Amino acid sequence: MNAPDTEAGIVDAVLAAREPLAIEGNGSKRGLLRPVQAAETLSTRNLSGITLYKPTEMVLSARAGTPLPEIEATLAERGQMLAPEPPDTHALFGVRQPATIGGIVATNLSGPRRINAGSIRDHLLGIRFVNGRGEVVRSGGRVLKNVTGLDLCKLLAGSHGTLGVLTEITMKVLPATEATATLKVAVPDIATGIRALSAGLTSPYGITGAALLPMGPTALLRLEDFAESVTYRAARLREDLARFGEVSMVEAPESRLLWRSIRDADPINGGPDHAIWRLSIRPSAAPALVAALQEAFAARLLLDWGGGLVWVAGPATEEAHQAVLAATIAARGSYTLFRAPEPLRAAVAVIPPEAPALAAIAARVKAALDPAGLFNPGRMRAGQ
Amino acid sequence: MIPLPPPKPEILARRDAIIAALRTLVPGEGVIGDETRLKPYETDGLSAYRQPPLAVVLPTTTEQVAAVMRYCHGNGIRVVPRGAGTSLSGGALPLADAVVIGLMRMNRILEIDFDDRLAVVEAGVTNLGITKAVEHEGFFYAPDPSSQLACMIGGNVNMNSGGAHCLKYGVTANNLLGLKLVTPEGEIVEVGGDHLDTAGYDWLGLMTGSEGMLGIVTEVTVRILRGPEGARAMLAAFKGTEIAGAAVDAIIGSGIIPVALEFMDKPCIHACEAFAHAGYPLDAEAMLIIEVEGSVAEQDFLLARIKEICARFDPISLKVATSAEESMAIWKGRKGAFGAVGRISPDYLCMDGTIPTGELPFVLKRIGEMSTQYGLQVANVFHAGDGNLHPLIMFDANNPASFRAAEDFGADILKLCVEVGGCLTGEHGVGVEKRDLMHVQFQPHELAQQRAIKTAFDPAWLLNPHKVFPLEALPQ
C-alpha cells in the first residue's frame, strides 16, 4: 500500500501509476459496493490533520485522511458538530479503524439528522482533489455561499473515489444542540407508524430524527434545540401524536444512545454472512415495500428519515437481492447493496443501473476526470 | 464591455429556414421570429447587455423541448435557455445566432404531496408560485431570492439561487429531490427522484448551479417544508462595522442560528431610511436585522438572548419587534434597499461576492477606499451569517466612462473577495458578467477541468457556450 503523507506524494503516485489503483482512506468501508480490481492501493490515511477551524464562521477544513472521531472531538470542544451525523460503520463492516473525513465525503453517508439538516454533500463547502492527470483541482471554497463555476464538490461526493483522490475537505459545521428528547409512539402497524412520522415532520416543531422500528412497531421522533424549546415542543407533539398510539418520552441520555444505534443501523446488524441493503424511497411507499420484502425473505428492517431510508438485512443470495431490487423499483427508489460477502457484491448490480443517455454522459465525465481509468475501477458498476 | 462570440454566418443565413423548421416542432404561437417580438428577449436583469436572438421558442412540453434540442443539435445551432429573465449576471443573455428556449409556458404544478413533503412542478413555475400553492397547509418552499415573485424554478435550479433565509434553510441545491431534463443532444432524462440521496453520481447536484450549460431543466421535484409557528425580527445598530461584525460572531458563537442575519452599512441605512422611513438610526455605522422563528415564547427567549449579546457591543439602538407589524417595519427598509438605492441613482450594479465573515470590516474599509478612488458611491447589504456581500455600485448609464468605471470597481471588489478567501459569486452566478474574472479564482488547469465536464455533456458546445468560461477556450 502506498500512503503518502503529502498531497504532492499523492500527485506523484498518480503520475507514476501505470495500473489501476484502489483509492481509500482508512479502508473502513472497503466492504461497501463492489470489490475493486486493482493491483495497488493508494491511501490518504497519512494525509491527516485539521487545517482550518473557525467556529464563528462555521467552517472546518481537514486533510482527507483525518479520522472522523478527531474532527468530531475538536468540534465538540467548541460546542459544534457535523450536522448530517455520519454513521459509524465499523461494526457493520467488522473493522476497527475509524472512518476518515475523505471517506465520509466519498461515500456521502448521512445519519438520522439528514431528514432535517441535509446530507454530507449539502454541508460540503470545498474540496481539493488529485485528478487522473495528476493535477490538484480545487472546487468550492471555505465560504457558505458559493456558486462560482461547476460544483465539482457535489460530483465528487458520493463518487466512491472513482473520479479523483480527495486530499482536503472543507465542511460547514453547526452549533451542537443544547438539549434533546425523543417521543416514542407504540403504533399498531407500519403504515400507522409512517403516518405518525409524517405528522411529526409536517409539524412546525423541527423534528431532527424520525425512525421506525418494525419490532413493536415503534415510531421514534427526536427533538433537538434549546432546552426551553425542547420542553415546549415535546408537550405539543405528545398531544398531536396520541392519535397514532401510546406516546412515551425518552430523556436525553437514553435518547442519545438510541439515535446512535439507529445512525449505525445496529438493530439490523446480524452476522457477517447476512447481506445489508440501504434503500432510499418516498416515505409513503414504505409500507408496501416493507410488506414485499417481508414476504420475500426473513427481512430484518429499520426505517429512518421518516420512512424514506430503509435498512434491510437478509440472506446474501441473488434471490434476496432480486427481491430488494424489485421492491425498490416498485417504490421508484434507489438502492445500495451496502454489505455482502464478496461473491455476491461482485456478481450483482450493487446500485441501480443508469439510463442509457446518462450512462454515456457518465462515461465521458469519468474520462474527463480520470482519462486512463486509474481510480477504483468497478467500484460502483461493473466495467465503470 | 464583455465580448460575445461572433455569430456563425451560415446559421444567420439560414434564419428563415430554421424558424420554419422550429414551427413544425412547436406549433401555434410557440415560435417568435419577428424583430419587434424578439426585443423583450434581448436582455435580462443585467440590462447593460443586449443581444436579440435568432429566434425564440416557447415549448409547452418536455417532448417539444427535446425535439427542438435534437433539431438544434443536428444542425449545429446554439441554444440559450431562459426562465423569467431575472438573472443579474446575464445568465439569459442570447446570441445573435442562437435559439432561445423560453420555459415560461411550462408553468403547471404537477403534484403536491404534503405527507411526503414534496412538489413536482414544471420549470416555468415561479419561485413564489410554489409557496403560494402550498401555504394553505402551512408549507413553503424555502429558497427566497429577492426576485421570487417573477423568477422561475428552472432558473433557480440553474443558478442555485439563494435568498435571505439560507442561513437556516440552505440554497436551492439543498431543497431539491429530482429533475427532468433534456440533454444537449435532445435526450429526456431524469436525475434524482422523489426521495433523498440517489446512489450513483450526483447529477442532481452537478446540474444545480450549472447555469444552463449542461441541459434544459423542464421539471423539478422540490422539498416543501412546514413553516414555523411564527417569526419575529429585531434591529441592532452599532458605532462601527467591526463592532457589528464582532456581534455577529458572538451570536453565531453562542449557538444560535437566526433564520436571517442581515447587515447594512451606513450609506445603505441612509438610502433605505430616506425611502422607507423605517425608523433606522442614521448615526449608526452598521445595522443588523436579526430574525428568529418559533412559538411566541421561543421567539421571546431567543430574541432576549440575542439582545443580551448585542448589548455587550455598546449598541446605539436595540429594537425588538413585539408584533408581526413591528417586524414588518424593521424589514421594510431592507426589503426596499434596491429601490432605495435606485432613487439616489437610477443606475447601479448589484455585486455578489462572498467573503469569510470575519473579513467583513477589512473588506468594507477597502470598498470605501475604492469608492473614493473610482468616484462612485456604493452601499453595502450583506447576508452576515453566510458571508454573501451585495455592494450596490451607483453610476450614470448615460455616461460610458461612468459605466466602465462601475464595471472596473465591481471587478476590483470581486478580486478582493477572492483575495480574502471568498469567491466571485454567492448566488447570482457567473453568467456573462463575471466570466472573464474566473481566472482570478481558478487556475488554468482547474478551468480546463470544469470545461472538460461541460464537454462531456455538450461535446459541440452549443448550449449557452458564452457563459461562465472565458471565451478564448471556446471550441470553434
Side-chain angles (χ1 to χ4, degrees):
Chain A
M1 173 186 298
N2 186 2
D5 58 5
T6 63
E7 187 179 65
I10 301 280
V11 169
D12 290 343
V14 170
L15 288 175
R18 295 288 169 270
E19 298 291 327
L21 297 167
I23 307 300
E24 64 178 40
N26 264 337
S28 66
K29 289 181 283 296
R30 205 176 286 153
L32 181 62
L33 304 189
R34 303 184 73 252
V36 173
Q37 298 106 32
E40 242 198 292
T41 296
L42 175 59
S43 166
T44 56
R45 67 181 53 181
N46 291 328
L47 219 55
S48 189
I50 291 167
T51 51
L52 173 119
Y53 180 29
K54 299 254 182 185
T56 57
E57 293 179 7
M58 300 191 288
V59 55
L60 176 140
S61 305
R63 293 191 184 91
T66 311
L68 197 59
E70 182 183 325
I71 289 172
E72 287 174 333
T74 302
L75 291 172
E77 274 172 34
R78 300 296 300 267
Q80 293 191 323
M81 65 175 177
L82 288 176
E85 205 177 5
D88 177 350
T89 54
H90 81 269
L92 274 189
F93 288 112
V95 296
R96 309 188 93 147
Q97 61 271 38
T100 63
I101 185 70
I104 286 294
V105 169
T107 54
N108 188 28
L109 283 179
S110 313
R113 209 180 285 111
R114 194 255 177 274
I115 189 74
N116 170 276
S119 63
I120 285 286
R121 73 78 134 147
D122 288 320
H123 291 253
L124 180 62
L125 299 178
I127 52 172
R128 289 172 71 95
F129 68 96
V130 179
N131 69 13
R133 284 179 295 275
E135 297 164 335
V136 176
V137 177
R138 301 162 304 154
S139 185
R142 52 156 293 197
V143 288
L144 304 191
K145 240 161 125 187
N146 184 349
V147 294
T148 321
L150 291 178
D151 190 349
L152 305 190
C153 294
K154 302 264 186 329
L155 182 61
L156 271 279
S159 69
H160 296 270
T162 61
L163 299 178
V165 186
L166 293 166
T167 55
E168 191 170 2
I169 305 294
T170 300
M171 299 291 298
K172 175 183 179 181
V173 297
L174 284 178
T177 42
E178 186 181 276
T180 183
T182 295
L183 291 153
K184 205 174 186 171
V185 192
V187 289
D189 50 49
I190 301 284
T192 309
I194 297 294
R195 281 203 299 279
L197 298 182
S198 282
L201 289 165
T202 55
S203 78
Y205 305 127
I207 297 291
T208 69
L212 183 62
L213 303 175
M215 298 296 282
T218 312
L220 300 163
L221 296 104
R222 177 173 64 180
L223 289 163
E224 295 176 300
D225 214 310
F226 293 103
E228 289 87 340
S229 283
V230 169
T231 308
Y232 161 77
R233 293 176 184 189
R236 298 296 297 268
L237 263 176
R238 206 175 170 141
E239 281 172 33
D240 291 356
L241 294 171
R243 61 195 154 114
F244 300 105
E246 198 190 322
V247 186
S248 55
M249 281 277 289
V250 184
E251 297 297 336
E254 196 195 328
S255 171
R256 288 204 174 87
L257 289 175
L258 181 62
W259 287 100
R260 176 177 292 250
S261 88
I262 291 165
R263 180 193 76 181
D264 300 343
D266 286 344
I268 55 133
N269 189 11
D273 52 329
H274 275 69
I276 292 175
W277 294 265
R278 193 171 183 262
L279 320 180
S280 181
I281 56 164
R282 188 175 178 151
S284 58
L289 176 125
V290 165
L293 290 175
Q294 282 174 335
E295 191 167 313
F297 55 86
R300 293 161 70 107
L301 295 157
L302 168 65
L303 285 76
D304 195 358
W305 300 355
L309 177 74
V310 186
W311 289 94
V312 186
T317 61
E318 292 204 27
E319 293 72 41
H321 184 72
Q322 288 309 322
V324 171
L325 214 145
T328 312
I329 290 170
R332 288 175 41 89
S334 177
Y335 70 88
T336 302
L337 175 56
F338 199 80
R339 186 197 78 188
E342 196 164 314
L344 183 63
R345 292 197 284 133
V348 301
V350 297
I351 59 174
E354 204 111 71
L358 273 179
I361 291 173
R364 298 199 296 256
V365 166
K366 165 80 174 168
L369 282 145
D370 177 22
L374 290 177
F375 302 145
N376 273 352
R379 181 93 176 144
M380 298 174 77
R381 295 185 177 100
Q384 196 180 59
Chain B
M1 293 293 277
I2 295 154
L4 299 180
K8 300 179 192 171
E10 71 276 16
I11 300 293
L12 296 180
R14 287 167 51 208
R15 185 173 178 275
D16 292 347
I18 290 168
I19 290 171
L22 291 171
R23 289 218 158 100
T24 66
L25 302 173
V26 182
E29 296 297 296
V31 178
I32 299 171
D34 70 277
E35 231 170 88
T36 43
R37 288 184 62 218
L38 285 175
K39 190 104 176 114
Y41 297 92
E42 68 179 9
T43 190
D44 58 12
L46 186 70
S47 56
Y49 289 83
R50 286 168 196 274
Q51 172 59 61
L54 188 76
V56 172
V57 186
L58 305 173
T60 52
T61 66
T62 300
E63 288 67 29
Q64 286 182 353
V65 174
V68 172
M69 289 298 280
R70 273 196 302 275
Y71 169 77
C72 289
H73 181 257
N75 288 276
I77 302 163
R78 290 166 169 161
V79 172
V80 174
R82 181 186 179 99
T86 54
S87 171
L88 293 168
S89 60
L93 183 69
L95 290 166
D97 60 351
V99 171
V100 165
I101 298 184
L103 280 305
M104 56 282 271
R105 295 210 302 181
M106 291 188 64
N107 58 2
R108 291 176 304 164
I109 290 173
L110 303 176
E111 187 190 351
I112 293 168
D113 189 323
F114 294 105
D115 280 341
D116 284 341
R117 305 167 298 280
L118 62 83
V120 184
V121 303
E122 288 184 332
V125 172
T126 62
N127 173 293
L128 199 60
I130 302 176
T131 292
K132 290 278 176 212
V134 298
E135 66 186 1
H136 62 282
E137 292 279 339
F139 281 71
F140 70 114
Y141 172 65
D144 59 342
S146 51
S147 56
Q148 70 178 156
L149 189 63
C151 66
M152 293 169 184
I153 189 67
N156 287 184
V157 170
N158 275 294
M159 306 312 270
N160 194 10
S161 305
H165 293 84
C166 27
L167 185 55
K168 179 165 178 193
Y169 294 110
V171 294
T172 303
N174 314 118
N175 289 279
L176 298 180
L177 293 175
L179 302 175
K180 185 183 273 189
L181 60 104
V182 177
T183 68
E185 291 168 330
E187 302 269 4
I188 299 169
V189 298
E190 292 183 32
V191 301
D194 49 17
H195 48 82
L196 301 168
D197 301 3
T198 297
Y201 292 155
D202 185 2
W203 303 124
L204 174 63
L206 182 63
M207 285 298 304
T208 309
S210 64
E211 304 205 18
M213 297 191 300
L214 303 185
I216 309 249
V217 173
T218 58
E219 275 179 37
V220 186
T221 305
V222 300
R223 296 182 82 178
I224 52 170
L225 302 176
R226 174 67 191 263
E229 287 180 85
R232 203 148 29 107
M234 65 172 282
L235 174 162
F238 300 93
K239 288 175 187 153
T241 54
E242 288 190 34
I243 304 170
V248 169
D249 280 359
I251 294 166
I252 301 285
S254 77
I256 300 173
I257 304 289
V259 66
L261 186 45
E262 295 285 293
F263 179 111
M264 295 158 70
D265 72 353
K266 188 166 197 167
C268 191
I269 298 169
H270 279 245
C272 291
E273 182 56 23
F275 181 62
H277 309 293
Y280 293 169
L282 295 176
D283 49 344
E285 287 295 323
M287 196 188 96
L288 301 176
I289 296 175
I290 308 156
E291 186 170 270
V292 300
E293 290 180 341
S295 67
V296 173
E298 287 174 300
Q299 297 166 16
D300 282 340
F301 156 73
L302 288 171
L303 289 170
R305 268 205 192 186
I306 295 170
K307 191 175 173 185
E308 192 185 296
I309 292 166
C310 288
R312 300 206 297 262
F313 295 89
D314 191 19
I316 291 176
S317 161
L318 278 180
K319 197 152 65 183
V320 176
T322 55
S323 63
E325 291 70 38
E326 285 184 30
S327 278
M328 260 161 66
I330 288 175
W331 272 110
K332 191 176 159 203
R334 166 63 185 88
K335 295 215 163 156
F338 291 9
V341 169
R343 245 177 45 141
I344 301 173
S345 162
D347 308 297
Y348 62 86
L349 287 180
C350 175
M351 308 308 293
D352 167 51
T354 308
I355 56 172
T357 52
E359 300 290 341
L360 181 68
F362 171 72
V363 168
L364 287 183
K365 183 169 143 280
R366 284 288 299 125
I367 290 176
E369 290 164 7
M370 289 180 205
S371 166
T372 310
Q373 178 198 326
Y374 280 102
L376 294 174
Q377 274 185 285
V378 62
N380 289 290
V381 286
F382 182 61
H383 304 309
D386 56 33
N388 194 190
L389 183 65
H390 292 305
L392 305 173
I393 302 173
M394 298 167 235
F395 69 99
D396 175 6
N398 295 319
N399 173 356
S402 172
F403 176 59
R404 266 197 311 278
E407 280 202 315
D408 291 345
F409 185 4
D412 281 351
I413 292 175
L414 296 182
K415 286 175 194 166
L416 174 65
C417 290
V418 175
E419 232 167 77
V420 300
C423 64
L424 294 173
T425 172
E427 57 187 3
H428 294 176
V430 177
V432 168
E433 184 202 21
K434 290 169 281 266
R435 189 190 72 195
D436 294 343
L437 290 172
M438 285 290 273
H439 66 274
V440 175
Q441 189 171 330
F442 295 105
Q443 292 179 18
H445 73 277
E446 291 172 325
L447 285 176
Q449 181 68 83
Q450 291 189 32
R451 279 199 308 265
I453 288 162
K454 154 78 171 161
T455 306
F457 278 78
D458 181 17
W461 279 67
L462 292 174
L463 189 54
N464 237 4
H466 54 310
K467 313 282 164 69
V468 182
F469 300 118
L471 277 192
E472 59 266 16
L474 184 65
Q476 292 308 306

